[in-house]
Amino acid sequence: MVKVSIMGSTGVIGKNVAFTLARADTVDEIVLFARPESVEKARGESFDMYDALAAEDIDCRLTPSSDFQDLKNSAIVLITAGIPREEGMNRRDLALPNAKIVDKYAKEISKHAPDAIILVATNPVDVMTTVAFKASGFDKKRVIGIGNHLDSLRLKAYFSRQININSSEVHTRVIGEHGDHMVPLLSSTTIGGIPLKYFVKSVDMEVPRLVNRLKKAGNTIISKKGATEYGPSFAISNLISTIITDSHKVLTVSNYLEGEVGDVWNVSLGVPAVLSKKGIAMIVPIHMNDLELHEFKEAAKVVKQTTDEVLQSLYK
């Protein structure tokens, strides 16, 4: 039996991940973990989901709870709990208050679900990945942030729509910070197997505009509807399904680095990784041009500075 627990299940992302994951029909039980005062809301969400799942003959069990004991035997525990980002806010503005939440939950996971994989979605996700890693005491392969998986999907979609080509023909990746210091790997992007640098000679791709749009995507959506919802939820559900089905796909997630990419140490950043039921099976070595490597190292400096400040405040 495959069990997944979602901490912060009544939030916009948490409840959407739960429903998306249940519909994927790859999980036997989903624990909708919430604060005691929000458990009834989680129960209401479960009733609503059951009604929808019945239409597709899906029998996933939904368990509303505020008891950490119910995390037991979870294959994956997703942490989405935290203060949401509002219009105009930088993800790093959320760092300290959300770190206190992630620190507490990671410690509880280590007690009640010591064999689980921790998946972190709380922003700023790269900083929170390190907080969860330090607090849980888990092997770093089992503490994974959602990283740049969503950013990579967004860029793939932008290229696809720009030239009216099926998205399956676009192979691109974004690494670094899930934030302003993300690094699109344009040097290794291909379209229909053709390197981007050759493709753009005959097609007006407006690459700089698309990259600028990518970096502003979250704030653009928040300014228009109040929160990002479907994109993050489907991206997270995709990560979870990839792990529990042992697919060994290469996705861009945040992990604590110790020199594996760009000679960057002691900070969590988005990098390509092979995902398995044991967590990260391998961080994929990648080639970057000089500009991309410079930007990746800059992202490391920025994220590490925030991370160090947060850790000092947490454990002073």
Side-chain angles (χ1 to χ4, degrees), residues 86-102:
E86 298 178 0
E87 183 179 356
M89 290 180 70
N90 186 294
R91 290 177 179 87
R92 291 188 296 277
D93 294 336
L94 309 172
L96 186 55
N98 282 351
K100 294 177 180 177
I101 297 170
V102 171

Side-chain angles (χ1 to χ4, degrees), residues 142-210:
R142 293 197 291 127
V143 183
I144 305 168
I146 64 169
N148 301 106
H149 182 44
L150 175 59
D151 302 315
S152 298
L153 293 174
R154 282 171 171 162
L155 186 58
K156 179 187 181 82
Y158 293 171
F159 281 141
S160 171
R161 294 201 298 271
Q162 175 75 20
I163 57 176
N164 193 28
I165 193 170
N166 191 288
S167 61
S168 66
E169 297 292 342
V170 180
H171 296 276
T172 191
R173 196 171 300 277
V174 179
I175 63 172
E177 181 195 24
H178 176 52
D180 296 335
H181 293 83
M182 65 180 68
V183 184
L185 291 180
L186 301 179
S187 67
S188 55
T189 294
T190 63
I191 298 176
I194 302 170
L196 181 64
K197 65 181 179 180
Y198 299 125
F199 198 94
V200 295
K201 290 182 178 179
S202 58
V203 177
D204 182 12
M205 289 288 288
E206 299 183 58
V207 174
R209 182 184 66 82
L210 294 180

Side-chain angles (χ1 to χ4, degrees), residues 221-242:
I221 295 169
I222 291 169
S223 70
K224 296 182 182 300
K225 60 170 287 187
T228 55
E229 185 175 357
Y230 306 119
S233 301
F234 272 76
I236 295 167
S237 178
N238 179 235
L239 286 173
I240 294 173
S241 293
T242 297

Side-chain angles (χ1 to χ4, degrees), residues 70-85:
D70 286 329
L71 302 179
K72 184 179 179 181
N73 296 325
S74 296
I76 297 174
V77 180
L78 170 67
I79 304 177
T80 69
I83 300 168
R85 187 161 65 108

Side-chain angles (χ1 to χ4, degrees), residues 101-164:
I101 297 170
V102 171
D103 177 75
K104 174 186 175 182
Y105 280 178
K107 288 175 179 175
E108 294 293 345
I109 294 168
S110 69
K111 293 178 187 175
H112 301 286
D115 297 321
I117 292 168
I118 297 177
L119 184 60
V120 183
T122 303
N123 275 317
V125 70
D126 303 296
V127 177
M128 296 303 108
T129 301
T130 297
V131 171
F133 166 57
K134 299 286 187 181
S136 67
F138 283 7
D139 186 298
K140 70 174 190 171
K141 294 178 181 179
R142 293 197 291 127
V143 183
I144 305 168
I146 64 169
N148 301 106
H149 182 44
L150 175 59
D151 302 315
S152 298
L153 293 174
R154 282 171 171 162
L155 186 58
K156 179 187 181 82
Y158 293 171
F159 281 141
S160 171
R161 294 201 298 271
Q162 175 75 20
I163 57 176
N164 193 28

Side-chain angles (χ1 to χ4, degrees), residues 126 130 140 175-177 181 183 253-272 283 286 288 291-305 307-308:
D126 303 296
T130 297
K140 70 174 190 171
I175 63 172
E177 181 195 24
H181 293 83
V183 184
V253 294
S254 189
N255 194 231
Y256 191 76
L257 297 179
E258 295 176 304
E260 296 92 342
V261 178
D263 197 30
V264 165
W265 292 77
N266 304 323
V267 64
S268 296
L269 286 177
V271 291
I283 291 177
I286 53 175
M288 292 178 269
L291 176 60
E292 291 163 348
L293 180 59
H294 172 73
E295 291 179 343
F296 186 73
K297 287 181 177 291
E298 285 299 307
K301 290 179 184 177
V302 171
V303 174
K304 191 173 190 311
Q305 180 179 355
T307 304
D308 289 346

